[in-house]
Amino acid sequence: TAAVGIILSAFAVGSLVGQIARLQGCRAEPDTAERLLDEAEADAARRVLLVRLRRGGVAAGLLDLDLARGGAGTAHVILLLLREGLQGMGLGAELIRAAEERLRAEGLALVTLAVCDENPGARDFWERMGYETAARVDRRVNLLAKRLDPGPNP
């Protein structure tokens, strides 16, 4: 929300290892956090954005994007994570809108992500943000996608 507000910036991915508990609602293995962060640091096509609260600069979560998956002009959301105590305050929606604007400015036209059936709340969130089912990946995972409008011409 505007009252809380976020600051979105790139960061060293190793700083939030202990906070990653799950991946888009799918069950995570004990080493999931370290593995994901190691992969992100080694991959130039990944963008990991830190979400900080405007007031106090407290780390609120992160957004991990893969700009190579899905082809040219596509960003794939690998992980969206917000501290549990800050969920339900509109920060996730604010984060996604800010990230979409940044991606649009970089010339990307499509955002995709996978959501597990185990987490209907995550699916509801992404659908509220305008994402639609593009494919059923397997028995319990859906691929969601959203086309980014090019925005006004300069």
Side-chain angles (χ1 to χ4, degrees), residues 38-129:
D38 287 345
E39 290 169 7
E41 287 182 326
D43 188 346
R46 296 275 284 274
R47 300 286 186 281
V48 180
L49 303 173
L50 176 65
V51 182
R52 292 190 178 278
L53 300 180
R54 289 191 195 280
R55 179 179 287 164
V58 174
L62 64 83
L63 178 65
D64 182 1
L65 301 164
D66 184 341
L67 304 185
R69 192 181 302 185
T74 300
H76 183 80
V77 175
I78 295 171
L79 176 68
L80 167 62
L81 175 74
L82 289 175
R83 289 180 186 261
E84 192 170 337
L86 297 173
Q87 294 174 8
M89 299 172 63
L91 295 175
E94 187 175 348
L95 164 59
I96 296 308
R97 285 191 297 272
E100 288 173 351
E101 184 58 39
R102 181 178 281 203
L103 294 169
R104 185 180 297 111
E106 292 180 20
L108 289 123
L110 181 69
V111 179
T112 63
L113 61 110
V115 177
C116 295
D117 289 345
E118 298 171 14
N119 194 349
R123 183 179 179 132
D124 291 346
F125 167 79
W126 289 107
E127 288 176 347
R128 283 192 310 272
M129 296 304 301

